[in-house]
Amino acid sequence: MNKTTKLKKLLLSPQLEFLMEAHNGISAKIVEEAGFKGIWASGLSISGSLGVRDNNEASWTQIVDVVEFMSDATTIPILIDGDTGYGNFNNMRRLVKKLEQRDIAGVCIEDKIFPKTNSFLRGNGQPLADINEFCGKIKAGKDVQRDGDFVIVARVEAFITGSGLGEALKRAEAYRQAGADAILVHSRLSNASEIFDFMKHWENRAPIVIVPTKYYTTPTDEFRKRKISLAIWANHIFRGSIQKMQEIAKQIYREQNLLSVEDSIVPIKEIFRLQDDKELERAEELYLSPKPGNQRSAIILASTRGEQLGKLTKSIPKTMIKIGKKSILERAIEHLNEYYIKNISVVAGYKKEAINLPDLNIIENDRYETTGEMVSLSKAIDTVQGESVILFGDILFKKYFLSIILDDPADIVIIVDSAFPFDKQYQSDFVHAYQVEGASLFPNDNYHLKEILYDQPRTEYYGEWIGMMKLSVKGLGIVRNFIHEFQNQPEFQKMDIRDMLNHLVQREIKIKIQTIAGHRIDVNNIEDFSLAGDF
Ligand code: SPV
Ligand code: MG
């Protein structure tokens, strides 16, 4: 529903409705969250919050700009306090046009002279507008509005200037006939007698709006009884915020520290919530192209056949074996994509043409039968940039593994499985580790690599490296340097990644361990493919 229609409905609804004042985007949002169905864009509190007087010292466009922020921050309708319309009928026409463009639901104009003075200041001395001139302004506004439900409220200031009930009624009726959708009757008495006298004679000819700032002791039910349509709480959250700002400013000035105020004010995250930072976060994920330094990449080493798997790998490399509906490689790519890793290089060798998935950089290692993992890695290392994940193409793993390595700020992070059959004898990457004392409250946290051995060691060891590693931008540089240094040496041809890691440890480069327990399958050792299912 349009905001204009919402405001019109509030005015026409049979029960008493309320508008709460707001004076900027965040206060408007707070009003909406409190449950109000509409907002009064108060001239007093907007000018006050800008630090100027309620005498048209802020220009009308400055006011409309503030109200646009309020409208953008909310979904409920705003009735703007348009003072006198900021000029004659012609200024009113332009005002209505601009308000409609900014999705403001209605405007209230008062029958005083520009520049206006607040109704609670020097009321008796304030001149009223000529009735006909003011009616022309209302008509002009109604004629120019494009949306039939845009609301124009005419505000009668006769009681404010001490002109009496007769004048108030005469004006209200003239304004109604000129096309006003509602009449705001204002009073500065500390009781509602003027308003109630007016209501006695008005007989519901048009919806009546009141601002009970001064007659705040009058029970709200008295307004209901007299069929008032709309009550405006015109300045109260502004006044509340002034009090709080004064208290906090004085307290911090006095105490010269923040200790005692911290718990009496909202946390910073409440500001972020009100600004709806969550929405921006989601949008960034959707729309922001990764910045070069920020970009994540992956290298999947998938050049080997996996002879142990027999006929399963007769015409495809093991990375393409289907487990359930998807191949191991497809599953890995899906997980990587979920972490916005789209730049993926796959080092292919055996049956490389069978790796026919979209959007991959296929890097060939035709000597896959005679070379080790480092040769494959070296062929792909310059195709990646930014934070990078290196993984073997034959592991089935849970998606959260990526989260734990990517969340770890260390430069080189490996995933080690601490839960696998210690009793079985086989060859793999067995990890010895040491814990950095006192660095974490958590057991299993802050382990670093001491050594990786290929043959299952007899002594106690920490777990098995699963073939997944994260490199920060710096970590990637370390690996590139290592490759650069070693690739011309004969031993490089047979080197595996564990050999590089051991070298790096010897050079006192820290290799951080993230521990998992299970939740992954090494396809070489898979016994029952049907168990893998669709996890
Ligand atoms: C305002 O909120 O700016 C008003 C109401 O116009 S009053 O201050 O009571 O005049
Ligand atoms: Mg005002």
Side-chain angles (χ1 to χ4, degrees), residues 290-298 336 338-344 384-389 402-403 405-407 470:
K291 300 183 195 85
N294 239 345
Q295 201 169 330
R296 286 174 174 166
S297 314
L336 290 165
E338 288 214 37
Y339 286 89
Y340 309 103
I341 301 176
K342 302 277 166 69
N343 175 26
I344 301 173
V384 294
Q385 54 183 329
E387 210 175 33
S388 296
V389 174
L402 289 171
S403 159
I405 48 174
L406 291 167
D407 284 348
K470 183 214 77 172

Side-chain angles (χ1 to χ4, degrees), residues 6-20 36-40 77-80 108 151 153 181-185 195 199 206-212 215 220 223-224 226-233:
K6 287 184 188 170
L7 182 59
K8 192 123 201 197
K9 282 194 179 243
L10 282 185
L11 274 178
L12 297 177
S13 95
Q15 74 262 27
L16 176 65
E17 303 282 359
F18 304 95
L19 299 185
M20 171 52 91
F36 283 98
K37 291 189 233 164
I39 295 169
W40 169 246
I78 297 175
L79 177 64
I80 182 178
C108 175
V151 166
V153 178
D181 298 288
I183 305 296
L184 189 157
V185 192
I195 302 294
M199 291 310 288
I208 295 298
V209 182
I210 59 168
V211 184
Y215 45 97
T220 300
F223 306 145
R224 286 198 179 90
R226 288 167 177 84
K227 299 269 181 284
I228 286 165
S229 292
L230 198 60
I232 295 176
W233 315 123

Side-chain angles (χ1 to χ4, degrees), residues 40 42-44 54 81 83 110 116 118 155:
W40 169 246
S42 157
L44 175 63
D54 190 12
D81 173 1
D83 290 346
E110 62 197 61
K116 54 71 62 92
N118 185 274
R155 166 165 159 181

